[in-house]
Amino acid sequence: DLAGSERLDKSGATGMALRETQNINKSLSSLADVFAAKAERRAHVPFRNSKLTFLMEPCLSGQGKTLMVVNVGPELDNSH
């Protein structure tokens, strides 16, 4: 579950919550790197940069299809 992904300055997370949020953000960044490498047809796709991408390698390789669901709230607090 990557629902905890958020900006650290907005969340005010500390302790274990801070560490979890940092790990989630790292995993999402690694996933974006994998998508970019595959889209650009690079020879090396960085699946081993995070546990998430390492575990998803079979799903993201070959002719598999990927669907990303994003839940965005319309509140002003969620805008950048």
Side-chain angles (χ1 to χ4, degrees):
D1 178 13
L2 299 176
S5 166
E6 53 194 61
R7 293 175 172 260
L8 290 175
D9 57 342
K10 275 182 83 174
S11 71
T14 59
M16 289 297 292
L18 172 65
R19 194 167 173 186
E20 180 181 355
T21 301
Q22 289 171 327
N23 288 334
I24 290 169
N25 287 339
K26 179 181 180 274
S27 292
L28 288 175
S29 179
S30 295
L31 186 59
D33 292 342
V34 166
F35 286 153
K38 291 195 66 67
E40 295 169 4
R41 299 187 188 276
R42 292 186 210 152
H44 173 71
V45 179
F47 287 114
R48 294 185 180 193
N49 286 358
S50 79
K51 186 180 260 187
L52 173 70
T53 55
F54 180 75
L55 293 173
M56 290 182 69
E57 181 176 2
C59 302
L60 299 174
S61 298
Q63 299 299 318
K65 304 266 187 243
T66 303
L67 172 68
M68 181 185 296
V69 178
V70 179
N71 183 12
V72 180
E75 292 83 21
L76 185 57
D77 291 343
N78 293 329
S79 67
H80 297 284

Coordinates of all heavy atoms in Angstrom, one line a residue:
D1 N 0.9 -1.2 0.0 CA 0.0 0.0 0.0 C 0.9 1.2 0.0 O 1.7 1.4 0.9 CB -0.9 0.0 1.2 CG -1.8 1.2 1.3 OD1 -1.9 1.9 0.4 OD2 -2.4 1.4 2.4
L2 N 0.8 2.1 -1.0 CA 1.6 3.3 -1.1 C 0.7 4.5 -0.8 O 1.1 5.6 -1.1 CB 2.2 3.4 -2.5 CG 3.1 2.2 -2.9 CD1 3.5 2.4 -4.3 CD2 4.2 2.1 -2.0
A3 N -0.4 4.3 -0.1 CA -1.2 5.4 0.2 C -0.6 6.4 1.2 O -1.0 7.6 1.3 CB -2.5 4.9 0.8
G4 N 0.5 6.1 1.9 CA 1.1 7.0 2.8 C 2.1 7.9 2.1 O 2.7 8.7 2.8
S5 N 2.2 7.8 0.8 CA 3.1 8.7 0.1 C 2.7 10.2 0.3 O 1.5 10.5 -0.1 CB 3.2 8.3 -1.3 OG 3.8 9.3 -2.1
E6 N 3.5 11.0 0.7 CA 3.2 12.4 0.9 C 4.4 13.2 1.1 O 5.5 12.7 1.3 CB 2.2 12.6 2.1 CG 2.8 12.0 3.3 CD 1.8 11.8 4.4 OE1 0.8 11.1 4.2 OE2 2.0 12.4 5.5
R7 N 4.2 14.5 1.1 CA 5.4 15.4 1.4 C 5.7 15.4 2.9 O 4.8 15.6 3.7 CB 5.0 16.8 1.0 CG 4.9 17.0 -0.5 CD 4.4 18.4 -0.8 NE 4.4 18.7 -2.2 CZ 5.4 19.4 -2.8 NH1 6.4 19.8 -2.1 NH2 5.3 19.6 -4.1
L8 N 6.9 15.3 3.2 CA 7.3 15.2 4.6 C 7.0 16.5 5.4 O 6.6 16.5 6.5 CB 8.8 14.8 4.7 CG 9.1 13.4 4.4 CD1 10.6 13.2 4.4 CD2 8.4 12.4 5.3
D9 N 7.2 17.6 4.7 CA 7.0 18.9 5.4 C 5.5 19.1 5.7 O 5.2 19.7 6.7 CB 7.6 20.1 4.6 CG 7.0 20.2 3.2 OD1 6.4 19.2 2.7 OD2 7.1 21.2 2.6
K10 N 4.6 18.6 4.9 CA 3.2 18.7 5.1 C 2.7 17.7 6.2 O 1.8 18.0 7.0 CB 2.4 18.5 3.9 CG 2.2 19.7 3.0 CD 1.4 19.4 1.8 CE -0.1 19.5 2.2 NZ -1.0 19.3 1.0
S11 N 3.3 16.5 6.2 CA 2.8 15.5 7.1 C 3.2 15.7 8.5 O 2.5 15.3 9.4 CB 3.3 14.1 6.6 OG 4.7 14.0 6.9
G12 N 4.4 16.3 8.8 CA 4.8 16.4 10.1 C 5.2 15.1 10.8 O 5.2 15.0 12.0
A13 N 5.4 14.1 10.0 CA 5.7 12.8 10.5 C 7.0 12.7 11.2 O 8.0 13.4 10.9 CB 5.8 11.8 9.3
T14 N 7.1 11.9 12.3 CA 8.3 11.8 13.1 C 8.4 10.3 13.5 O 7.5 9.5 13.3 CB 8.2 12.6 14.4 OG1 7.1 12.2 15.2 CG2 8.1 14.1 14.1
G15 N 9.6 9.9 13.9 CA 9.9 8.6 14.3 C 9.6 7.5 13.2 O 10.1 7.7 12.1
M16 N 8.9 6.5 13.6 CA 8.6 5.4 12.7 C 7.8 5.8 11.5 O 8.0 5.4 10.3 CB 7.9 4.2 13.4 CG 8.8 3.5 14.4 SD 10.1 2.6 13.5 CE 9.3 1.4 12.6
A17 N 6.9 6.8 11.7 CA 6.0 7.3 10.6 C 6.9 8.0 9.6 O 6.7 7.9 8.3 CB 4.9 8.2 11.1
L18 N 7.9 8.7 10.0 CA 8.8 9.4 9.2 C 9.6 8.5 8.3 O 9.8 8.6 7.1 CB 9.8 10.3 10.0 CG 10.9 11.0 9.2 CD1 10.4 12.0 8.2 CD2 11.9 11.7 10.2
R19 N 10.1 7.4 9.0 CA 10.9 6.4 8.3 C 10.1 5.7 7.2 O 10.5 5.4 6.1 CB 11.5 5.4 9.3 CG 12.5 4.6 8.8 CD 13.2 3.8 9.9 NE 14.1 2.9 9.4 CZ 14.8 2.0 10.2 NH1 14.6 2.0 11.5 NH2 15.6 1.2 9.6
E20 N 8.9 5.3 7.6 CA 8.0 4.7 6.6 C 7.7 5.6 5.4 O 7.7 5.1 4.3 CB 6.7 4.3 7.3 CG 5.7 3.6 6.4 CD 4.4 3.2 7.1 OE1 4.3 3.4 8.3 OE2 3.5 2.7 6.4
T21 N 7.4 6.8 5.7 CA 7.1 7.8 4.6 C 8.3 7.9 3.7 O 8.2 7.9 2.5 CB 6.7 9.1 5.2 OG1 5.5 9.0 6.0 CG2 6.4 10.1 4.1
Q22 N 9.5 8.0 4.2 CA 10.7 8.1 3.4 C 10.9 6.8 2.6 O 11.3 6.9 1.4 CB 12.0 8.2 4.3 CG 12.0 9.6 5.0 CD 13.1 9.7 6.0 OE1 13.4 8.7 6.7 NE2 13.7 10.9 6.2
N23 N 10.6 5.7 3.1 CA 10.7 4.4 2.4 C 9.7 4.3 1.2 O 10.0 3.9 0.1 CB 10.6 3.2 3.3 CG 11.8 3.0 4.2 OD1 12.9 3.4 3.8 ND2 11.6 2.4 5.3
I24 N 8.5 4.8 1.5 CA 7.4 4.8 0.5 C 7.8 5.7 -0.6 O 7.7 5.4 -1.8 CB 6.1 5.2 1.1 CG1 5.6 4.1 2.0 CG2 5.1 5.6 0.0 CD1 4.4 4.5 2.8
N25 N 8.3 6.9 -0.3 CA 8.7 7.9 -1.3 C 9.9 7.3 -2.2 O 10.0 7.5 -3.4 CB 9.1 9.2 -0.7 CG 7.8 10.0 -0.2 OD1 6.7 9.7 -0.7 ND2 8.0 10.9 0.7
K26 N 10.8 6.6 -1.5 CA 12.0 6.0 -2.2 C 11.5 5.0 -3.2 O 11.9 4.9 -4.4 CB 13.0 5.4 -1.3 CG 14.1 4.8 -2.0 CD 15.1 4.1 -1.0 CE 16.3 3.5 -1.7 NZ 16.0 2.1 -2.1
S27 N 10.5 4.1 -2.7 CA 9.9 3.1 -3.6 C 9.2 3.7 -4.8 O 9.3 3.2 -5.9 CB 9.0 2.2 -2.8 OG 9.7 1.5 -1.8
L28 N 8.5 4.8 -4.6 CA 7.8 5.4 -5.7 C 8.7 6.0 -6.7 O 8.5 6.0 -7.9 CB 6.8 6.5 -5.2 CG 5.6 5.9 -4.5 CD1 4.7 7.1 -3.9 CD2 4.7 5.1 -5.4
S29 N 9.8 6.6 -6.2 CA 10.8 7.2 -7.0 C 11.5 6.1 -7.9 O 11.7 6.3 -9.1 CB 11.9 7.9 -6.2 OG 12.9 8.5 -7.0
S30 N 11.8 5.0 -7.2 CA 12.4 3.8 -8.0 C 11.4 3.3 -9.0 O 11.8 2.9 -10.1 CB 12.7 2.7 -7.0 OG 13.7 3.1 -6.1
L31 N 10.1 3.3 -8.7 CA 9.1 2.8 -9.7 C 9.1 3.7 -10.9 O 9.0 3.3 -12.0 CB 7.8 2.7 -9.0 CG 6.6 2.1 -9.8 CD1 7.0 0.7 -10.3 CD2 5.3 2.1 -9.0
A32 N 9.2 5.0 -10.6 CA 9.2 6.0 -11.7 C 10.5 5.8 -12.6 O 10.4 5.9 -13.8 CB 9.2 7.4 -11.2
D33 N 11.6 5.5 -11.9 CA 12.8 5.2 -12.7 C 12.7 4.0 -13.6 O 13.1 4.0 -14.7 CB 14.0 5.0 -11.7 CG 14.4 6.3 -11.0 OD1 14.0 7.4 -11.4 OD2 15.1 6.1 -10.0
V34 N 12.0 3.0 -13.1 CA 11.8 1.8 -13.9 C 10.9 2.1 -15.1 O 11.1 1.7 -16.2 CB 11.1 0.6 -13.0 CG1 10.6 -0.5 -13.9 CG2 12.2 0.1 -12.1
F35 N 9.8 2.8 -14.8 CA 8.9 3.2 -15.9 C 9.6 4.0 -17.0 O 9.4 3.8 -18.2 CB 7.7 4.0 -15.4 CG 6.6 3.2 -14.7 CD1 5.9 3.8 -13.7 CD2 6.4 1.9 -15.0 CE1 4.9 3.1 -13.0 CE2 5.5 1.1 -14.3 CZ 4.7 1.7 -13.3
A36 N 10.5 5.0 -16.6 CA 11.2 5.8 -17.5 C 12.2 5.0 -18.3 O 12.3 5.1 -19.5 CB 12.0 6.9 -16.7
A37 N 12.9 4.0 -17.7 CA 13.8 3.2 -18.4 C 13.1 2.3 -19.4 O 13.6 2.1 -20.5 CB 14.6 2.3 -17.4
K38 N 12.0 1.8 -19.0 CA 11.2 0.9 -20.0 C 10.7 1.7 -21.1 O 10.7 1.3 -22.3 CB 10.1 0.2 -19.2 CG 10.7 -0.9 -18.3 CD 9.7 -1.9 -17.8 CE 9.2 -2.8 -18.9 NZ 10.1 -3.8 -19.5
A39 N 10.2 2.9 -20.8 CA 9.6 3.8 -21.9 C 10.7 4.2 -22.9 O 10.4 4.3 -24.1 CB 9.0 5.0 -21.3
E40 N 11.9 4.4 -22.4 CA 13.0 4.8 -23.2 C 13.8 3.6 -23.8 O 14.8 3.8 -24.5 CB 14.0 5.7 -22.4 CG 13.4 7.0 -22.0 CD 14.2 7.8 -21.0 OE1 15.3 7.4 -20.7 OE2 13.7 8.8 -20.5
R41 N 13.3 2.4 -23.5 CA 13.9 1.2 -24.0 C 15.4 1.1 -23.7 O 16.2 0.7 -24.6 CB 13.6 1.0 -25.5 CG 12.2 0.9 -25.9 CD 12.0 0.6 -27.3 NE 10.6 0.7 -27.7 CZ 9.7 -0.3 -27.5 NH1 10.0 -1.4 -27.0 NH2 8.5 -0.1 -27.9
R42 N 15.8 1.5 -22.5 CA 17.2 1.4 -22.1 C 17.6 -0.1 -21.9 O 16.7 -0.9 -21.6 CB 17.4 2.1 -20.7 CG 17.2 3.6 -20.8 CD 17.6 4.2 -19.4 NE 16.8 5.4 -19.2 CZ 16.5 5.9 -18.0 NH1 16.8 5.2 -16.9 NH2 15.8 7.0 -17.9
A43 N 18.9 -0.3 -22.1 CA 19.4 -1.7 -21.9 C 19.3 -2.1 -20.5 O 19.1 -3.3 -20.2 CB 20.8 -1.7 -22.4
H44 N 19.5 -1.2 -19.6 CA 19.4 -1.6 -18.1 C 18.2 -0.9 -17.5 O 17.9 0.3 -17.6 CB 20.6 -1.1 -17.4 CG 20.5 -1.2 -15.9 ND1 20.6 -2.5 -15.3 CD2 20.4 -0.3 -14.9 CE1 20.5 -2.3 -14.0 NE2 20.3 -1.0 -13.7
V45 N 17.3 -1.7 -16.9 CA 16.2 -1.3 -16.1 C 16.5 -1.5 -14.7 O 16.7 -2.6 -14.3 CB 14.9 -2.0 -16.6 CG1 13.7 -1.5 -15.8 CG2 14.6 -1.8 -18.1
P46 N 16.4 -0.5 -13.8 CA 16.9 -0.6 -12.4 C 15.8 -1.2 -11.5 O 15.4 -0.6 -10.5 CB 17.1 0.9 -12.0 CG 16.2 1.7 -12.9 CD 16.1 0.9 -14.2
F47 N 15.5 -2.5 -11.7 CA 14.6 -3.2 -10.9 C 15.1 -3.4 -9.4 O 14.3 -3.5 -8.5 CB 14.2 -4.6 -11.4 CG 13.4 -4.5 -12.7 CD1 13.8 -4.9 -13.9 CD2 12.1 -4.1 -12.6 CE1 13.0 -4.9 -15.0 CE2 11.2 -4.0 -13.7 CZ 11.7 -4.4 -14.9
R48 N 16.4 -3.4 -9.3 CA 16.9 -3.7 -7.9 C 17.1 -2.5 -7.0 O 17.7 -2.6 -6.0 CB 18.3 -4.5 -8.1 CG 18.0 -5.9 -8.7 CD 19.3 -6.6 -8.7 NE 19.0 -7.9 -9.4 CZ 19.8 -8.9 -9.3 NH1 21.0 -8.8 -8.7 NH2 19.5 -10.1 -9.9
N49 N 16.6 -1.4 -7.5 CA 16.8 -0.2 -6.6 C 15.9 -0.1 -5.4 O 16.1 0.7 -4.5 CB 16.6 1.1 -7.5 CG 17.8 1.3 -8.4 OD1 18.7 0.6 -8.4 ND2 17.6 2.4 -9.2
S50 N 14.9 -0.9 -5.4 CA 14.0 -1.0 -4.2 C 13.3 -2.3 -4.1 O 13.3 -3.1 -5.1 CB 12.9 0.1 -4.3 OG 11.8 -0.3 -5.1
K51 N 12.9 -2.7 -3.0 CA 12.2 -4.0 -2.8 C 10.9 -4.0 -3.6 O 10.6 -5.1 -4.2 CB 11.9 -4.2 -1.3 CG 11.3 -5.6 -1.0 CD 11.0 -5.7 0.4 CE 12.1 -6.5 1.1 NZ 11.8 -6.8 2.5
L52 N 10.2 -2.9 -3.7 CA 9.0 -2.8 -4.5 C 9.2 -3.2 -6.0 O 8.6 -4.1 -6.5 CB 8.3 -1.5 -4.4 CG 7.1 -1.2 -5.3 CD1 5.9 -2.0 -4.9 CD2 6.8 0.3 -5.4
T53 N 10.2 -2.5 -6.6 CA 10.5 -2.8 -8.0 C 11.1 -4.2 -8.2 O 10.8 -4.8 -9.2 CB 11.4 -1.7 -8.6 OG1 12.6 -1.6 -7.9 CG2 10.7 -0.4 -8.6
F54 N 11.9 -4.6 -7.3 CA 12.4 -6.0 -7.3 C 11.3 -7.0 -7.4 O 11.3 -7.9 -8.2 CB 13.4 -6.2 -6.2 CG 14.0 -7.6 -6.2 CD1 15.1 -7.9 -7.1 CD2 13.6 -8.6 -5.3 CE1 15.6 -9.1 -7.1 CE2 14.2 -9.8 -5.3 CZ 15.2 -10.1 -6.2
L55 N 10.4 -6.9 -6.5 CA 9.2 -7.8 -6.4 C 8.3 -7.7 -7.6 O 7.7 -8.7 -8.0 CB 8.5 -7.6 -5.1 CG 9.2 -8.0 -3.8 CD1 8.4 -7.6 -2.6 CD2 9.5 -9.5 -3.8
M56 N 8.2 -6.5 -8.2 CA 7.3 -6.3 -9.3 C 8.0 -6.6 -10.7 O 7.3 -6.5 -11.7 CB 6.8 -4.8 -9.3 CG 5.9 -4.5 -8.2 SD 5.3 -2.9 -8.3 CE 4.3 -2.9 -9.7
E57 N 9.3 -7.0 -10.7 CA 10.0 -7.2 -12.0 C 9.2 -8.2 -12.9 O 9.1 -7.8 -14.1 CB 11.4 -7.7 -11.7 CG 12.1 -7.9 -13.0 CD 13.6 -8.3 -12.8 OE1 14.0 -8.5 -11.6 OE2 14.3 -8.4 -13.8
P58 N 8.7 -9.3 -12.4 CA 8.0 -10.2 -13.3 C 6.8 -9.6 -13.9 O 6.4 -9.8 -15.1 CB 7.6 -11.4 -12.4 CG 8.6 -11.3 -11.3 CD 8.9 -9.9 -11.1
C59 N 6.1 -8.7 -13.2 CA 4.9 -8.1 -13.7 C 5.2 -6.9 -14.7 O 4.4 -6.7 -15.5 CB 4.1 -7.5 -12.5 SG 3.6 -8.7 -11.3
L60 N 6.4 -6.3 -14.5 CA 6.7 -5.2 -15.3 C 7.6 -5.5 -16.5 O 7.9 -4.7 -17.3 CB 7.4 -4.1 -14.5 CG 6.6 -3.5 -13.3 CD1 7.5 -2.6 -12.5 CD2 5.4 -2.8 -13.8
S61 N 8.0 -6.8 -16.6 CA 8.8 -7.2 -17.7 C 8.0 -7.8 -18.8 O 6.9 -8.3 -18.6 CB 9.8 -8.2 -17.2 OG 10.7 -7.7 -16.3
G62 N 8.5 -7.9 -20.0 CA 7.9 -8.6 -21.1 C 6.7 -7.8 -21.6 O 6.7 -6.6 -21.7
Q63 N 5.6 -8.5 -21.9 CA 4.4 -8.0 -22.5 C 3.3 -7.6 -21.5 O 2.2 -7.5 -21.9 CB 3.9 -8.9 -23.6 CG 4.9 -9.2 -24.7 CD 5.2 -7.9 -25.4 OE1 4.4 -7.1 -25.7 NE2 6.5 -7.7 -25.7
G64 N 3.7 -7.6 -20.2 CA 2.7 -7.3 -19.2 C 2.1 -5.9 -19.3 O 2.7 -5.0 -19.9
K65 N 0.9 -5.7 -18.8 CA 0.3 -4.4 -18.8 C 0.3 -3.9 -17.3 O 0.1 -4.7 -16.4 CB -1.2 -4.6 -19.3 CG -1.3 -5.2 -20.6 CD -1.4 -4.1 -21.7 CE -1.7 -4.7 -23.0 NZ -0.7 -4.6 -24.0
T66 N 0.4 -2.6 -17.2 CA 0.5 -2.0 -15.9 C -0.6 -1.0 -15.8 O -0.8 -0.2 -16.7 CB 1.9 -1.4 -15.6 OG1 2.8 -2.4 -15.7 CG2 1.9 -0.8 -14.2
L67 N -1.3 -1.0 -14.7 CA -2.3 0.0 -14.4 C -2.0 0.7 -13.1 O -1.8 0.1 -12.1 CB -3.7 -0.6 -14.3 CG -4.9 0.3 -13.9 CD1 -5.2 1.3 -14.9 CD2 -6.1 -0.6 -13.6
M68 N -2.0 2.1 -13.1 CA -1.7 2.8 -11.9 C -3.0 3.6 -11.6 O -3.6 4.3 -12.4 CB -0.6 3.8 -12.1 CG -0.3 4.6 -10.8 SD 0.9 5.9 -11.0 CE 2.4 5.0 -11.4
V69 N -3.5 3.4 -10.3 CA -4.7 4.1 -9.9 C -4.2 5.2 -8.9 O -3.5 5.0 -8.0 CB -5.6 3.1 -9.2 CG1 -6.8 3.9 -8.6 CG2 -6.0 2.0 -10.1
V70 N -4.6 6.4 -9.2 CA -4.2 7.6 -8.4 C -5.5 8.2 -7.8 O -6.4 8.5 -8.5 CB -3.5 8.6 -9.2 CG1 -3.1 9.8 -8.4 CG2 -2.2 8.0 -9.8
N71 N -5.5 8.4 -6.5 CA -6.6 9.0 -5.8 C -6.2 10.4 -5.4 O -5.3 10.6 -4.6 CB -7.0 8.2 -4.6 CG -8.2 8.8 -3.9 OD1 -8.9 9.6 -4.4 ND2 -8.5 8.3 -2.7
V72 N -6.8 11.4 -6.1 CA -6.5 12.8 -5.8 C -7.7 13.6 -5.3 O -8.7 13.5 -5.8 CB -6.0 13.5 -7.1 CG1 -5.6 15.0 -6.9 CG2 -4.9 12.7 -7.8
G73 N -7.4 14.2 -4.1 CA -8.5 15.0 -3.5 C -8.5 16.4 -4.0 O -7.5 17.0 -4.3
P74 N -9.7 17.0 -4.3 CA -9.8 18.3 -4.8 C -9.6 19.4 -3.8 O -9.7 20.6 -4.1 CB -11.3 18.3 -5.4 CG -12.0 17.4 -4.4 CD -11.0 16.3 -4.1
E75 N -9.3 19.1 -2.6 CA -9.1 20.1 -1.5 C -7.9 21.0 -1.8 O -6.9 20.6 -2.4 CB -8.9 19.5 -0.1 CG -10.2 18.8 0.4 CD -10.3 17.4 -0.1 OE1 -9.3 16.8 -0.6 OE2 -11.4 16.9 -0.2
L76 N -8.0 22.3 -1.5 CA -7.0 23.3 -1.7 C -5.7 22.8 -1.0 O -4.6 23.1 -1.5 CB -7.4 24.6 -1.2 CG -6.4 25.8 -1.5 CD1 -6.1 25.9 -3.0 CD2 -7.0 27.1 -0.9
D77 N -5.8 22.1 0.2 CA -4.7 21.7 0.9 C -3.8 20.7 0.1 O -2.6 20.5 0.4 CB -5.1 21.0 2.2 CG -5.7 22.0 3.2 OD1 -5.5 23.2 3.0 OD2 -6.4 21.6 4.2
N78 N -4.4 20.0 -0.9 CA -3.7 19.0 -1.6 C -3.0 19.6 -2.9 O -2.3 18.9 -3.5 CB -4.6 17.9 -2.1 CG -5.2 17.1 -1.0 OD1 -4.5 16.9 0.0 ND2 -6.4 16.6 -1.1
S79 N -3.2 20.9 -3.1 CA -2.5 21.5 -4.3 C -1.1 21.9 -3.9 O -0.7 22.0 -2.8 CB -3.3 22.7 -4.7 OG -3.2 23.7 -3.8
H80 N -0.3 22.0 -5.0 CA 1.1 22.4 -4.7 C 1.3 23.8 -5.0 O 1.5 24.4 -5.9 CB 2.0 21.5 -5.6 CG 1.9 20.1 -5.3 ND1 2.5 19.5 -4.2 CD2 1.3 19.1 -5.9 CE1 2.2 18.2 -4.2 NE2 1.5 17.9 -5.2

